[in-house]
Amino acid sequence: MTENYIFFQENNIKIERLEIREINLPLVHYFETSFGRTEKRRILLTKIFCDGAVGHGECTAGENPFFSHETIDTAWIIIKNVLAPIAIGKEWTAPSEVSQLFKQIRGHQMARAAVENSCWDMTARINNITLHELLGGTRKNIPCGVSIGIQNTPEQLLEKIRIEVEAGYQRIKIKIKPGWDYDILKLVRQTFPDITLSVDANSAYTLADINLLKSLDEFNLLMIEQPLNHDDIVNHSHLQKQISTDICLDEPITSLDKTRKAIEMKSGRIINIKLGRVGGFSEAIKIHNYCEQHNIPVWCGGMLEAGIGRSHNIAMSALPGFILPGDVSASKRYFEEDIIEPPVTVNKDGFITILQISGTGYEPKEEYIERITVRKEMFTA
Ligand code: OSB
Ligand code: MG
């Protein structure tokens, strides 16, 4: 295993107490993908305690099992009944050891990631270093793109694209599904001939749609993300041979092993790394390193995260292989008020400046978080 991150602490640390809570946060605008529309987020936050130090995590599971089998409710049960009893009281020196504690668990990556990532967060704080430095990150700022959902009308979509292009975002990704694809892209390209554009189907097509998928080659797309089934790598390999647009895999990339198989099968030429989907920072770093060695560009995906998850995505995006603009954008695109201070902002050239402050540099707003909490539980040894 290649470990390019560093750790300094001399004393072993452990989770003495683990708190989980659910917060409810409305989105400023609905977000619609081929699998459905989200208007408000239910988000599970984790917080761990050790000898006066704390670490924060955010679970990226959605409200429904449509993107992944996991939901906020399954993650709650798994953390409570499985992860907390395993992890509480066990000493570690590097947070990657926490991912080893969870090795025998099948699936439930998003639940595992929330706990493991809290340990990375705490380790950075205890050592008074930045999280991106702890992970092995080298970038000072990260290029940003936006993901724009399916809209009620084509005019509304054009207006949203115009706003984000003017804000400086470096890449526009739009969601597609059967009936909201070729004609929409034709209109978008006529209106914005020169923008860097990609599409995400969230598994809405099958190989029977080959003619439609081939026809998208005419739009000079940066990539087509996850056109086929959520756990497929075989059919994507067939498809990639027949289209010139680069396929990017999202949903099936749940581990280093799945990544290696997808790359060996030539199922796509680009990989979207999502911290929750792969089970946390340790696995994400391994996937990043593997892709870098195989000249596969990666970028950081998003899951409509609130500030804690967003700040972890920023830290991960500092790794050198994250060369394509990610789906990590400004807090205000999602929420009236984010749960961190300062909120995430993007400069007019479409970059997020990585804060050079220990931890993530973004502090959770405890009082606000308490006010929007709908349930919480604390676990101890
Ligand atoms: O497929 O990338 C996806 C949001 C929820 C679930 C899946 C996806 C997305 C996004 C939004 O595209 C990315 C973001 O802005 O957070
Ligand atoms: Mg996607």
Side-chain angles (χ1 to χ4, degrees):
M1 183 173 106
T2 17
E3 292 194 357
N4 55 1
Y5 43 80
I6 48 171
F7 53 93
F8 301 135
Q9 80 273 0
E10 285 154 22
N11 303 315
N12 288 355
I13 45 183
K14 64 182 175 197
I15 302 178
E16 287 167 354
R17 287 179 293 144
L18 166 60
E19 179 193 82
I20 55 177
R21 70 171 71 219
E22 174 182 341
I23 57 167
N24 287 359
L25 262 183
L27 289 169
V28 292
H29 183 78
Y30 62 81
F31 188 79
E32 184 172 324
T33 68
S34 62
F35 58 76
R37 184 177 281 201
T38 308
E39 317 245 5
K40 98 175 205 275
R41 298 286 345 269
R42 294 176 56 209
I43 299 172
L44 189 164
L45 301 179
T46 51
K47 186 174 180 184
I48 59 170
F49 301 82
C50 175
D51 199 17
V54 298
H56 297 275
E58 177 175 332
C59 182
T60 66
E63 294 74 20
N64 298 297
F66 301 155
F67 174 83
S68 136
H69 66 275
E70 291 188 86
T71 69
I72 166 168
D73 299 300
T74 67
W76 191 282
I77 295 290
I78 291 294
I79 294 174
K80 174 178 177 162
N81 293 348
V82 184
L83 306 182
I86 290 176
I88 291 174
K90 301 256 175 39
E91 294 199 340
W92 82 84
T93 48
S96 56
E97 292 163 35
V98 178
S99 84
Q100 289 301 307
L101 294 175
F102 300 152
K103 209 170 60 182
Q104 75 181 113
I105 295 162
R106 299 261 167 92
H108 299 287
Q109 279 88 339
M110 294 173 181
R112 284 190 270 142
V115 176
E116 187 202 318
N117 293 352
S118 327
C119 296
W120 285 88
D121 192 277
M122 182 159 80
T123 306
R125 287 162 181 269
I126 285 178
N127 290 295
N128 206 21
I129 57 170
T130 62
L131 178 59
H132 60 93
E133 204 182 337
L134 181 69
L135 298 168
T138 50
R139 288 173 194 280
K140 297 278 176 277
N141 52 43
I142 61 169
C144 304
V146 289
S147 174
I148 302 180
I150 294 162
Q151 305 297 317
N152 286 337
T153 64
E155 294 71 37
Q156 209 178 348
L157 176 66
L158 293 180
E159 175 62 8
K160 288 227 163 268
I161 295 174
R162 192 188 58 73
I163 290 169
E164 305 300 9
V165 170
E166 277 173 16
Y169 284 101
Q170 302 185 28
R171 178 271 281 147
I172 303 291
K173 151 174 148 185
I174 65 172
K175 295 289 190 177
I176 57 168
K177 67 175 181 181
W180 184 274
D181 44 32
Y182 184 87
D183 292 342
I184 288 292
L185 280 165
K186 188 144 197 135
L187 180 65
V188 170
R189 263 303 182 223
Q190 273 163 3
T191 319
F192 304 97
D194 302 323
I195 59 171
T196 303
L197 183 66
S198 69
V199 295
D200 186 357
N202 288 108
S203 306
Y205 299 93
T206 71
L207 281 181
D209 300 306
I210 185 71
N211 289 334
L212 180 275
L213 294 167
K214 275 185 185 169
S215 75
L216 304 186
D217 278 342
E218 79 182 61
F219 298 119
N220 184 29
L221 301 173
L222 180 64
M223 69 188 84
I224 174 169
E225 185 178 340
Q226 202 62 32
L228 306 178
N229 198 23
H230 73 97
D231 61 355
D232 171 76
I233 51 175
V234 176
N235 287 348
H236 281 100
S237 172
H238 294 310
L239 178 62
Q240 184 66 92
K241 291 192 188 78
Q242 298 179 68
I243 62 175
S244 57
T245 304
D246 291 344
I247 292 176
C248 170
L249 295 174
D250 176 351
E251 281 86 332
I253 301 301
T254 51
S255 65
L256 172 63
D257 187 58
K258 270 306 253 327
T259 308
R260 179 182 63 75
K261 287 170 179 163
I263 291 172
E264 277 184 19
M265 288 204 66
K266 301 192 189 329
S267 308
R269 302 186 187 122
I270 298 173
I271 297 289
N272 167 337
I273 299 183
K274 285 183 177 166
L275 264 177
R277 174 185 16 79
V278 306
F281 281 121
S282 302
E283 197 74 8
I285 292 168
K286 290 184 204 169
I287 294 172
H288 161 273
N289 293 351
Y290 184 87
C291 289
E292 208 181 25
Q293 283 151 18
H294 291 80
N295 290 315
I296 298 286
V298 304
W299 55 281
C300 179
M303 293 291 287
L304 311 176
E305 287 93 343
I308 295 170
R310 198 162 292 280
S311 69
H312 288 175
N313 285 340
I314 292 169
M316 177 172 76
S317 303
L319 294 173
F322 283 80
I323 60 174
L324 292 168
D327 275 349
V328 186
S329 56
S331 298
K332 68 174 184 197
R333 294 191 60 249
Y334 305 84
F335 310 109
E336 206 77 61
E337 181 180 358
D338 203 343
I339 61 170
I340 48 165
E341 183 60 37
V344 173
T345 56
V346 173
N347 73 23
K348 62 180 182 352
D349 302 319
F351 287 95
I352 293 173
T353 304
I354 300 178
L355 303 178
Q356 302 300 329
I357 301 172
S358 73
T360 61
Y362 298 93
E363 273 306 311
K365 295 160 68 165
E366 306 278 0
E367 270 173 35
Y368 174 52
I369 291 173
E370 198 62 41
R371 260 188 287 132
I372 57 175
T373 294
V374 296
R375 55 171 168 161
K376 67 175 169 181
E377 278 190 68
M378 177 75 87
F379 311 112
T380 52

